[in-house]
């Protein structure tokens, strides 16, 4: 079973990496950019047929390692 | 209009970052992990009401800056 996880900075947390990308896009001529924010993306392949069990396991991975919940949010999706 | 972009390494490209995360998860006791691969994630907010135009613009950003198409693939989704 495959999962995708997106980890994004919480709304009020500064995103210097995104700021740089946004500035670069503006320098390249993009005029209608309001905001761009950067996050992380994980594709996880587990040997687990039960979707609830699998999702809980991925949730645990996020809480323990993949995301820093003080400044980040995460979203889990089942992809296969 | 808001878009989300995921940038992932192509299938046959080595992902050392993902490897390290995978090894760490295994060391933490995860036994059924087949693979984990890491990518990038962008949330883009554009002042553009036409979804086709907006999507094309985001595609151009990906091709020119956000993704290295030699080793990476990207996917664009309209989120709002």
């Amino acid at each position: 079973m495959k999962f995708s996880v997106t980890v994004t900075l919480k709304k009020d947390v500064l995103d210097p990496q995104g700021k740089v990308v946004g500035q670069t896009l503006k320098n390249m001529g993009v005029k209608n950019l309001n905001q761009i924010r950067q996050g992380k993306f994980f594709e996880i392949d587990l040997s687990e047929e039960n979707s609830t069990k699998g999702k809980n396991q991925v949730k645990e991975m996020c809480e323990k390692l993949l995301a820093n919940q003080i400044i980040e949010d995460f979203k889990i999706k089942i992809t296969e």
Side-chain angles (χ1 to χ4, degrees), chain A residues 3-65:
Chain A
F3 302 84
S4 75
V5 175
T6 54
V7 178
T8 51
L9 284 165
K10 285 184 200 276
K11 223 185 164 188
D12 296 327
V13 177
L14 278 180
D15 173 20
Q17 223 177 347
K19 272 268 181 302
V20 171
V21 174
Q23 195 52 57
T24 308
L25 286 169
K26 279 175 190 168
N27 293 344
M28 286 165 66
V30 180
K31 279 174 191 153
N32 56 352
L33 182 70
N34 295 328
Q35 200 185 34
I36 178 164
R37 286 175 75 82
Q38 187 165 352
K40 287 178 286 184
F41 180 74
F42 297 96
E43 292 173 305
I44 301 172
D45 183 358
L46 282 186
S47 302
E48 171 64 63
E49 292 312 312
N50 181 316
S51 65
T52 314
K53 265 194 196 174
K55 209 168 172 182
N56 279 336
Q57 226 192 323
V58 173
K59 188 164 171 265
E60 207 186 316
M61 290 179 196
C62 290
E63 289 167 350
K64 287 193 180 165
L65 183 70

